[in-house]
Amino acid sequence: RHGEREDDPTLDDQLPTLCTLGEDALLLVLEMCDSVTLCALARSTSLFTRPAPGEGLSLPERAAWAKLRRHFASGAARPYEKGAAEQHRQVLSLHERGMLRPGVLHDVPLHAVEGAGSGWEVAYQAPYQHRTSDADLDEAVPRDARYVLLGALSMTGARSTDRYERGQAVGVPLPDRETLEDGSALAFSLLAWGRRDTVLKATHGEKEFEGGATRSDNLEAGVHFYRWP
């Protein structure tokens, strides 16, 4: 009846909350949440922190895994091997940052790789003009690394779609110094990653390739990796 809600405050006790929803309905609600929200819930009450009976996963973890399965099945996310100590919520965060898209990635914000919870650790970095050697990579990349990421980071805030003349971006206002210093405007013009044995595999003999155009059958998730000693 009109006005019943206002005249009967006891109806407040009848409205459903997350804690009163059944498990199936609760999972549907959680599957609409992003990774940040799921992580926050996983640190809240025992309803969300304890594993579900017979499941071994908490409700936020089950919701994150359900979302990831759909992304993997549709091809929106490339195959990914989760680490033993890694949560499904963390993998979902990678997807939300655009890191699970197949192929070479363009203009990936620095914080998507170096941000808290990204899972990536810097093993080696050097200016473009530095002549990186095989020893540099072999010594820097941990032997137990599951994946290796290669990226070209623009320190000027330029993007891969910018037009250049004589090495300078044309018609594109670059970020000011303050914005560059806090890192929020920095991005990887190009970025690709794959399994360690794929990315660091020697694909050309020492005398087979001298630079320039080449072909490689060393393919993973839409990216051809090549390396010659």
Side-chain angles (χ1 to χ4, degrees), residues 4-219:
E4 184 176 21
R5 172 69 180 83
E6 181 178 353
D7 298 335
D8 188 358
T10 60
L11 287 179
D12 288 337
D13 298 330
Q14 301 173 22
L15 296 177
T17 66
L18 286 179
C19 293
T20 59
L21 290 175
E23 185 175 292
D24 291 340
L26 188 53
L27 272 175
L28 289 176
V29 172
L30 295 188
E31 287 177 30
M32 293 186 286
C33 299
D34 61 16
S35 61
V36 174
T37 303
L38 292 176
C39 287
L41 288 172
R43 296 190 298 267
S44 59
T45 68
S46 60
L47 173 65
F48 301 116
T49 58
R50 66 173 182 262
E55 291 286 343
L57 298 175
S58 65
L59 285 171
E61 273 294 274
R62 290 172 61 189
W65 178 224
K67 296 182 71 170
L68 286 169
R69 285 200 305 269
R70 290 196 295 270
H71 294 315
F72 290 139
S74 68
R78 55 180 288 177
Y80 181 83
E81 177 189 344
K82 185 175 72 68
E86 197 171 16
Q87 303 291 324
H88 291 301
R89 303 188 302 274
Q90 292 173 284
V91 181
L92 180 61
S93 176
L94 285 176
H95 175 70
E96 293 169 350
R97 296 169 190 239
M99 294 297 295
L100 295 188
R101 295 197 306 270
V104 177
L105 307 182
H106 299 264
D107 301 323
V108 178
L110 176 62
H111 63 75
V113 176
E114 291 193 343
S118 71
W120 295 104
E121 297 180 3
V122 177
Y124 176 81
Q125 59 182 351
Y128 183 76
Q129 62 267 26
H130 175 72
R131 189 178 179 86
T132 299
S133 69
D134 288 278
D136 290 329
L137 298 178
D138 292 333
E139 293 173 5
V141 179
R143 294 290 180 184
D144 60 351
R146 286 179 296 125
Y147 296 107
V148 175
L149 180 152
L150 307 176
L153 179 65
S154 170
M155 301 304 294
T156 65
R159 297 294 187 265
S160 64
T161 53
D162 294 347
R163 185 168 62 89
Y164 286 83
E165 289 183 6
R166 298 179 180 178
Q168 300 295 321
V170 177
V172 180
L174 296 178
D176 56 34
R177 177 177 295 181
E178 182 178 348
T179 306
L180 288 174
E181 288 178 350
D182 69 17
S184 61
L186 299 182
F188 289 91
S189 300
L190 296 173
L191 183 153
W193 60 273
R195 291 170 296 174
R196 189 187 194 282
D197 58 351
T198 300
V199 176
L200 298 184
K201 179 182 179 180
T203 57
H204 296 69
E206 184 176 359
K207 298 181 179 180
E208 293 178 7
F209 182 48
E210 297 181 353
T214 187
R215 292 181 179 273
S216 170
D217 295 327
N218 190 32
L219 175 68

